[in-house]
Amino acid sequence: MKVGIFFGGPSREREISFAGGRTVYDNLDKALFEAVPVFVDSLGNFIRLDWQYIYKGTIRDFYPPVEALPESVHGLQIYLESLGELSIEEQDKIIAKAGKRLQPNEFKQHFDFAFLALHGPYGEDGSIQGLLEWYHMPYSGSGILPSAIGIDKAAQKELLKQNGFATPDYSLIKYSDWSDHSQREGIFKNLVAQLGLPLVLKAPHQGSSIGISIVKEEDFSSFETGVDRSFFTKTIYKSQWLAMGEEKQLASIKQLVDIREGIGMPVLLQDGSIIYHPEELLNHLNHTFSSSATDSITLTNVEHEQQVLVEAFIQGKEFSCIVVQDEQGQPIALPPTEIVKGNEMFDYRSKYLPGLSRKITPINLPTEQIQQIRTDCSKLFKDFGFNVYARLDGFITDRGDIFLNDPNTTSGMLPSSFFFHQAAEIGLNPSQFLTYIIRTSIAERLKTGKDTVQLTRLLQQLDKQIQEQQAHRHDKIRVGVIMGGYSSERHISVESGRNIYEKLSSSTKYEPLPIFLTGSNESHRLYTIPINVMLKDNADDIKEKVQYFEKGGKPHPVLAEITAEAESITRKYTGRTLQEPQRISYEQLKNLTDAVFIALHGRPGEDGALQAELEKLHIPYNGSGIRSSQITINKYETNEILAKHGVLVAKHTMAMKEDWLKDKEAFFQSIEAEFQYPFISKPADDGCSSAVKKIKNRQELEAFSTLIFREMEELDTECARTLSLGFKEEFPNKVGFLVETLISRNGAKHFLEVTGGLLTKYAPDGTVNYEIFEASEALAEGEVLSLEEKFLAGEGQNITPARYATDPERRQKISDKVKEDLKRVAQILNIEGYARIDAFVRVLENEEVETIIIEVNSLPGMTPATCIFHQTAINGYKPYDFIDRILQFGVERTKMKGQL
C-alpha cells in the first residue's frame, strides 16, 4: 500500500510536523507500505518531495531554495511567506526545485492512503480532512467534525461543561476590545477579580504549546506582554530599540520573527501596510526610529488570533493521555504520563527537547486515581466523537479533582513524544503503532458508508499482509543495539540507539534487540530491555527502571491491566507479549544476536573497550577497530599523531589535576604563558560536545578547572554560573583537560566550521576504500556548538553542503580539497566503518585552502536530526541504507578475519 505522508504545512508548528513526518517516513513498515512524502508548504501547496530533503534539519534549510532567496545582509533565514505575494508561475518555479507539485485530484495516482502528520490550523482543524474526503482519499485519525472541535480551545470549554467534565473557569478577550488601549487595564482587573491569580493565557486556535503565558502576579505589564504574545502582536519602543545596539537588535529581530516563540512573518503595520521579509522589517524599524518622532511601532502577524482564552490556573500534577480504539471501536486509555517540568509551562521547547521536562509513566498517583483519569479520558474521547487516537491533556489536584483541557486529535510524532512513549507500554514499537493507526483509520473511514468496496479491499489486503509478516518474523538478521553508557553523552546515546532501533525495526532485513549498558569502566552491565523501557525519557530513567526490575519489582498494576485490555492489539501487530529487562553477559549477547550496533558515545563505546569484548567472541560490530578507537577517543593523542603527519591542528597541551593541586597560581600562569585568551578548554577523552568551553579570562579558567577537577558529584553553582552552564548541563570529572588555541579566521577571505562524514567499504583485494561525504557547515548560536544544536530536531542549523564559495565550480573545487584532507586523516588513524570529522576551513586570498582538524568521532551521533544523514542523502543513501552499509562492513570485517 502506498502511503502519502502529509507534513510541514502553514502552521506555527510546521517544524515539529516536518520532523514528525520524517519519523513516520522512516518508521513505516517497509514490508507493508511504500512511503510517499507529501510536503505541504506554508502557502498550502502540496509537493511530492524529493526524498533527500526530508533529512534536512529544518524546512528553511531547503525551502524556499537558495535561488529564490532575496539578498539578506544579515543572512536571515525565511519561510516561503516572506517572499511576498507570489504568482502561480513563481510558486511553480520554487516547487520544482524541491519536488513535484501535486493537485488534490492527482492524489490517487500517487498513493492509496494519507497519513496526516500536520499540526495546528489547516492540519488538525478539519480542513485537510474535508479536502481528502472530497477526493475519496482515506486518511489517518479523526474525521472532520471532531478535528474542528479538537483545534478550537474556546468551543471545547463549552462542550466539556455540557458533557459534565470539570474544566478551569475561563473568559475570552476579543481582539477588537484589546485594540482599544484604554480598556486594557480594566480587562486585567476584571479577569483577576473573576478568575484570580495566576492567569493562563492561550491562543485558542494554535497547537497546545504555542502562544501560552502564565501571569503569576498582579503585574499589568507582564499581562499585556502575555496577551500580545497570544494575539501574535508586538509593540517595539524607540527608547528600548535604540539602546540595544546592532547585535542585540539583530537577535531581537530573529526572536520576533520566530514562528514558535515570536509573532512570525509577514507583519501588519498600523497604517495597513504589510512587511514580508525580516531584513525589510529591521530596516523599517531603524529608519522610522532614526528619522521620525515615532516613539513606538506595533507589529501584528497577518494571521493573528481574534480572541485570547484566559483560564484560571490549576495547581496540580499535569498529565497527558493517549486514547486509542480497539477493533470493536471501543476506546482504550493508555497509561497517563505525568509531565515534570523544568519551568512553569509545558511549552514548545519543554515538549519537544529531551531533558527539558521529564515524563513519568504512569503518573505517580494511587491506582484508583490513575484509573479515574483513564475513565474520564475514554469518556471524553467518545463524547467528542474522536476516532482512532487522540491526546488528552489535563491536571489532577491534591484533592483528586481532574480537569481535562486541550483535547488534541493528533499528537507530536517525534521519537520522544507521548504518541510512541505510551504505545510502547502495550508493547508496540513505533513501526507497529503506525501500522495500527493506518489499519484502524481505514476501518473508521469504512464506517462512514463512503467508498465501501474500495476501503473493504484495502483493509482485507492489509490484514493479509500483516498475518504473512508475522509468519516470517524469525527470518531476519538479529542486531543488538547497545545504548546508554555512563558518560555525559548517555542521553544522546539513547537518542541515537532508539533511532537505530527504529530504522532497523521497520526494515525487511533486520530484527533489532535494544540493549542498555551501564556500570563502570571496570565492569560493564548489559541488559536486554523491552520497548516500553527503551522509550523512557532518558538514560537515567531507563537505568532507574532496569534497577527497579532487578530488585524484584513488578509492572505497575495499571500497566498490567492496560496490557490485558490491549492484548488483542499487541498480539495482532507484534505477535508477542511485553517482557521485563534481563541482565545478560557478553556470552549470552552472542547467542541472542548475529551482530551488534554500538550506539554509545564517549566512554565506553568509542574507546575500544567494548570492541575488545566483542572481538573475543567474534561478534561483528559497527565502527572502527580496537586500536583506532583507543586513539580517536583521546583528542590529545589524535592531535599529536596528526601533527606528526603534517596535518593542521590547533596548538594544544594537557593541563593536569596534579599540577593544579600542587600550585594553582603556577598552573594558571603556565597556561596563560602559552595561550592567549580566548582559548578552548575541553575534556581530552570525552564526547565531541561535552564541556567544550571558550575560555575568555582567568575567572573562567579557574571555574573550568574547579569543575573538571572537583572531588564531588555536585557542581559548584558559582563556577557553573561563571561558565554560563545551561539548564541540566552536565560537566565531567577528569584528571586532565585539553587546552587549544581558538582557531580563527587569521586573515582568510572565507572561514567556516564544518563537520564531514565518511563511510568505508572493502575493495575486492581486501583494502579499505573511503567514501567522503559533502561536509556540513555548522552555525552555532553561542560560542561553541552545543549538544542540542548537533543532535536535536529544529535546534541546530547545519547547511549541507557547506558554503565554501558562491560560485558552484569554485565551491566544488574547495570541497574536493577538504574531502581529500578528511580522507587523509581517516587513513592516518585507520578509521573503519564510518566516522565524523570536525574541522575549520580557511580559504585564503591566494585561493589556497587550509583544513584545520578539531576532532574525530569514531561513533558519531545517529539521532534523527544529525547532519550526517543530510550528507549521506546527497550520495543517495537514506538513513536505513547508511545503517545497513555500516552493519554490512562490520560483518564483512569479521568474516575476513576468519572468525565467522
Side-chain angles (χ1 to χ4, degrees):
M1 183 193 302
K2 289 184 178 179
V3 176
I5 301 158
F6 285 65
F7 63 122
S11 89
R12 291 171 177 274
E13 293 187 279
R14 68 188 71 163
E15 291 291 359
I16 287 301
S17 169
F18 181 68
R22 176 170 58 220
T23 304
V24 176
Y25 182 82
D26 280 341
N27 283 283
L28 279 185
D29 192 318
K30 293 170 182 61
L32 303 173
F33 308 111
E34 180 186 332
V36 178
V38 182
F39 173 66
V40 185
D41 72 17
S42 45
L43 300 182
N45 295 307
F46 300 104
I47 305 164
R48 180 166 180 158
L49 197 66
D50 292 344
W51 69 263
Q52 64 267 29
Y53 294 119
I54 293 169
Y55 300 105
K56 293 292 185 183
T58 70
I59 293 167
R60 291 179 300 180
D61 288 347
F62 73 94
Y63 196 86
V66 176
E67 299 88 339
L69 297 178
E71 190 65 39
S72 173
V73 177
H74 299 96
L76 296 169
Q77 280 199 308
I78 61 166
Y79 290 106
L80 186 63
E81 59 265 35
S82 284
L83 293 182
E85 298 289 339
L86 298 170
S87 67
I88 295 298
E89 291 74 26
E90 286 170 322
Q91 291 179 46
D92 282 341
K93 277 185 187 174
I94 288 168
I95 289 167
K97 295 282 183 186
K100 179 186 185 300
R101 182 198 277 276
L102 295 183
Q103 297 294 350
N105 64 352
E106 299 173 320
F107 286 168
K108 279 196 173 295
Q109 298 166 34
H110 295 268
F111 44 88
D112 309 300
F113 179 88
F115 194 105
L116 300 179
L118 296 165
H119 290 292
Y122 307 104
E124 52 179 316
D125 64 356
S127 302
I128 187 72
Q129 291 80 1
L131 178 83
L132 291 166
E133 288 208 8
W134 185 259
Y135 287 99
H136 302 268
M137 175 58 65
Y139 56 88
S140 63
S142 284
I144 300 168
L145 180 59
S147 296
I149 294 167
I151 197 67
D152 191 332
K153 294 182 178 70
Q156 287 168 11
K157 289 291 185 188
E158 283 306 310
L159 282 168
L160 284 164
K161 282 187 172 180
Q162 287 170 21
N163 286 282
F165 293 99
T167 185
D169 289 336
Y170 73 98
S171 187
L172 296 168
I173 304 171
K174 292 180 181 175
Y175 184 71
S176 54
D177 294 339
W178 188 249
S179 300
D180 180 354
H181 285 244
S182 65
Q183 290 194 49
R184 289 187 175 187
E185 292 207 35
I187 290 171
F188 181 46
K189 283 176 185 168
N190 290 340
L191 287 168
V192 172
Q194 180 190 346
L195 303 174
L197 287 168
L199 294 172
V200 182
L201 310 174
K202 296 180 176 179
H205 295 97
Q206 301 298 320
S208 56
S209 312
I210 297 286
I212 298 179
S213 305
I214 293 178
V215 180
K216 298 181 200 171
E217 294 165 5
E218 199 158 347
D219 173 9
F220 173 70
S221 175
S222 64
F223 171 75
E224 188 174 42
T225 301
V227 175
D228 276 351
R229 186 168 186 249
S230 295
F231 274 127
F232 306 111
T233 183
K234 175 85 173 173
T235 300
I236 313 285
Y237 294 95
K238 181 177 185 173
S239 55
Q240 293 173 355
W241 180 260
L242 296 178
M244 279 184 192
E246 197 175 325
E247 195 175 316
K248 286 189 176 173
Q249 287 173 353
L250 185 61
S252 177
I253 283 289
K254 285 181 179 176
Q255 188 179 15
L256 182 72
V257 304
D258 184 88
I259 55 171
R260 302 173 298 181
E261 308 287 344
I263 66 171
M265 298 294 285
V267 292
L268 187 70
L269 300 177
Q270 285 142 299
D271 65 4
S273 58
I274 294 173
I275 293 180
Y276 291 93
H277 198 288
E279 195 81 54
E280 185 189 350
L281 176 59
L282 179 62
N283 293 337
H284 175 78
L285 292 171
N286 283 328
H287 175 73
T288 305
F289 286 145
S290 63
S291 64
S292 74
T294 306
D295 63 356
S296 69
I297 297 174
T298 297
L299 309 167
T300 305
N301 188 276
V302 293
E303 290 208 355
H304 62 83
E305 290 280 359
Q306 286 300 304
Q307 52 188 12
V308 164
L309 177 66
V310 186
E311 288 181 341
F313 182 80
I314 301 297
Q315 188 67 49
K317 288 178 185 278
E318 188 171 0
F319 64 82
S320 196
C321 182
I322 300 283
V323 182
V324 297
Q325 280 177 259
D326 65 17
E327 289 200 11
Q328 283 69 51
Q330 292 305 306
I332 299 175
L334 299 181
T337 296
E338 180 180 353
I339 303 147
V340 182
K341 306 177 290 294
N343 59 15
E344 281 288 346
M345 284 185 306
F346 189 48
D347 61 7
Y348 188 92
R349 288 177 61 78
S350 300
K351 185 178 283 188
Y352 295 118
L353 290 183
L356 292 190
S357 61
R358 193 165 172 235
K359 304 184 187 85
I360 299 171
T361 306
I363 187 171
N364 190 14
L365 288 171
T367 299
E368 317 80 67
Q369 287 187 326
I370 299 176
Q371 295 293 33
Q372 189 57 53
I373 290 173
R374 293 185 61 232
T375 300
D376 284 7
C377 287
S378 292
K379 181 179 183 301
L380 188 150
F381 187 91
K382 286 190 87 165
D383 289 352
F384 277 34
F386 289 162
N387 318 118
V388 189
Y389 75 96
R391 195 192 82 234
L392 310 180
D393 301 336
F395 294 87
I396 181 165
T397 66
D398 291 342
R399 289 174 43 196
D401 298 324
I402 296 166
F403 291 85
L404 296 178
N405 62 347
D406 291 348
N408 284 273
T409 51
T410 191
S411 175
M413 293 181 192
L414 282 132
S416 60
S417 67
F418 298 116
F419 187 68
F420 296 124
H421 186 86
Q422 292 181 18
E425 295 294 352
I426 60 168
L428 299 185
N429 69 31
S431 179
Q432 292 156 348
F433 191 39
L434 293 173
T435 301
Y436 158 82
I437 296 250
I438 293 169
R439 198 248 172 229
T440 310
S441 296
I442 295 169
E444 275 302 309
R445 301 291 88 84
L446 191 53
K447 289 177 188 174
T448 64
K450 300 171 187 172
D451 302 312
T452 313
V453 173
Q454 174 211 344
L455 292 175
T456 303
R457 283 180 185 155
L458 207 57
L459 199 59
Q460 289 172 343
Q461 177 192 345
L462 182 56
D463 280 340
K464 185 182 175 190
Q465 287 176 323
I466 290 169
Q467 280 184 323
E468 287 172 359
Q469 187 198 33
Q470 292 296 348
H472 294 99
R473 193 166 52 81
H474 299 292
D475 303 342
K476 296 181 176 182
I477 298 166
R478 301 167 304 164
V479 178
V481 182
I482 302 182
M483 64 189 84
Y486 36 83
S487 79
S488 56
E489 291 191 276
R490 62 193 179 281
H491 304 310
I492 293 294
S493 164
V494 166
E495 289 288 311
S496 288
R498 287 198 277 236
N499 189 40
I500 299 297
Y501 170 89
E502 288 162 8
K503 299 292 186 285
L504 297 179
S505 68
S506 63
S507 76
T508 56
K509 182 176 178 180
Y510 296 105
E511 178 79 14
L513 174 69
I515 295 164
F516 186 72
L517 183 146
T518 185
S520 64
N521 286 341
E522 292 70 42
S523 172
H524 297 166
R525 295 172 74 86
L526 298 174
Y527 298 85
T528 59
I529 53 173
I531 182 71
N532 62 325
V533 173
M534 185 189 83
L535 286 183
K536 292 294 171 198
D537 230 25
N538 56 46
D540 295 344
D541 284 2
I542 294 174
K543 183 179 177 181
E544 188 182 291
K545 192 57 71 177
V546 162
Q547 289 173 337
Y548 168 79
F549 281 107
E550 198 166 31
K551 289 172 185 168
K554 293 292 169 200
H556 194 288
V558 170
L559 293 182
E561 187 173 322
I562 294 169
T563 304
E565 282 179 40
E567 191 182 9
S568 62
I569 296 173
T570 307
R571 287 211 170 273
K572 181 178 182 80
Y573 296 98
T574 73
R576 69 185 102 169
T577 53
L578 209 52
Q579 304 298 313
E580 292 177 8
Q582 298 289 329
R583 173 103 188 259
I584 60 168
S585 64
Y586 278 106
E587 287 75 15
Q588 288 169 312
L589 176 66
K590 179 174 175 61
N591 295 330
L592 289 168
T593 61
D594 303 306
V596 156
F597 196 106
I598 307 167
L600 300 166
H601 304 310
R603 292 181 188 271
E606 294 191 82
D607 61 355
L610 192 61
Q611 290 83 348
E613 295 291 344
L614 297 172
E615 286 201 11
K616 281 182 204 168
L617 296 163
H618 318 312
I619 301 173
Y621 61 86
N622 56 306
S624 291
I626 299 167
R627 181 61 192 134
S628 179
S629 299
Q630 288 169 340
I631 293 168
T632 54
I633 189 67
N634 188 319
K635 299 181 180 85
Y636 178 79
E637 191 179 346
T638 302
N639 279 352
E640 289 287 286
I641 290 170
L642 292 177
K644 280 176 188 163
H645 283 81
V647 175
L648 292 176
V649 295
K651 179 184 169 187
H652 56 277
T653 192
M654 284 297 293
M656 305 305 296
K657 183 176 182 177
E658 57 184 322
D659 298 327
W660 180 75
L661 288 171
K662 205 180 296 174
D663 186 338
K664 291 186 175 61
E665 183 57 32
F667 173 84
F668 296 132
Q669 284 184 11
S670 69
I671 293 172
E672 289 167 336
E674 203 175 342
F675 297 88
Q676 279 189 324
Y677 292 113
F679 53 77
I680 296 292
S681 291
K682 58 187 175 184
D685 64 343
D686 225 317
C688 58
S689 296
S690 175
V692 180
K693 296 293 170 188
K694 180 181 176 181
I695 305 297
K696 300 182 287 299
N697 50 50
R698 167 68 80 92
Q699 187 188 7
E700 291 186 355
L701 177 59
E702 288 175 356
F704 188 94
S705 305
T706 301
L707 289 182
I708 206 161
F709 293 149
R710 71 190 185 279
E711 297 295 337
M712 299 169 287
E713 194 57 43
E714 300 78 40
L715 300 183
D716 180 288
T717 50
E718 195 53 46
C719 292
R721 198 174 296 116
T722 300
L723 293 177
S724 304
L725 294 193
F727 175 58
K728 291 194 177 181
E729 185 175 343
E730 296 189 7
F731 212 89
N733 198 321
K734 302 288 179 182
V735 296
F737 66 88
L738 186 63
V739 181
E740 293 180 337
T741 50
L742 181 69
I743 300 166
S744 60
R745 180 178 288 270
N746 211 19
K749 69 174 180 181
H750 198 43
F751 176 66
L752 62 167
E753 184 175 356
V754 301
T755 181
L758 62 90
L759 180 65
T760 68
K761 59 184 174 189
Y762 285 112
D765 64 357
T767 57
V768 174
N769 283 346
Y770 290 88
E771 182 177 2
I772 312 293
F773 302 124
E774 284 287 345
S776 300
E777 179 181 346
L779 303 179
E781 281 290 316
E783 293 175 337
V784 294
L785 276 172
S786 66
L787 275 174
E788 289 81 6
E789 285 176 313
K790 283 191 176 179
F791 301 121
L792 298 181
E795 275 304 287
Q797 192 191 336
N798 292 290
I799 295 168
T800 312
R803 301 171 298 181
Y804 299 115
T806 49
D807 176 64
E809 277 186 42
R810 178 76 191 124
R811 195 218 71 83
Q812 194 56 54
K813 196 173 177 184
I814 297 168
S815 176
D816 291 343
K817 167 68 168 67
V818 172
K819 289 201 277 187
E820 273 305 311
D821 292 342
L822 299 186
K823 180 179 177 180
R824 184 159 176 261
V825 169
Q827 289 170 326
I828 292 166
L829 299 172
N830 195 27
I831 287 168
E832 292 181 330
Y834 67 119
R836 200 190 74 234
I837 302 173
D838 299 340
F840 281 99
V841 175
R842 289 190 192 119
V843 182
L844 307 180
E845 288 293 346
N846 64 2
E847 299 298 320
E848 277 188 40
V849 178
E850 292 180 348
T851 309
I852 305 107
I853 303 301
I854 310 170
E855 58 193 72
V856 176
N857 297 281
S858 61
L859 292 176
M862 297 286 271
T863 66
T866 187
C867 64
I868 203 163
F869 292 134
H870 314 171
Q871 298 168 17
T872 61
I874 292 173
N875 284 34
Y877 302 110
K878 292 177 184 175
Y880 166 75
D881 302 327
F882 182 51
I883 295 162
D884 180 37
R885 295 292 179 99
I886 290 166
L887 282 167
Q888 278 180 27
F889 182 88
V891 170
E892 285 171 24
R893 175 173 56 196
T894 308
K895 279 181 181 171
M896 285 178 71
K897 289 182 177 178
Q899 294 174 334
L900 265 186

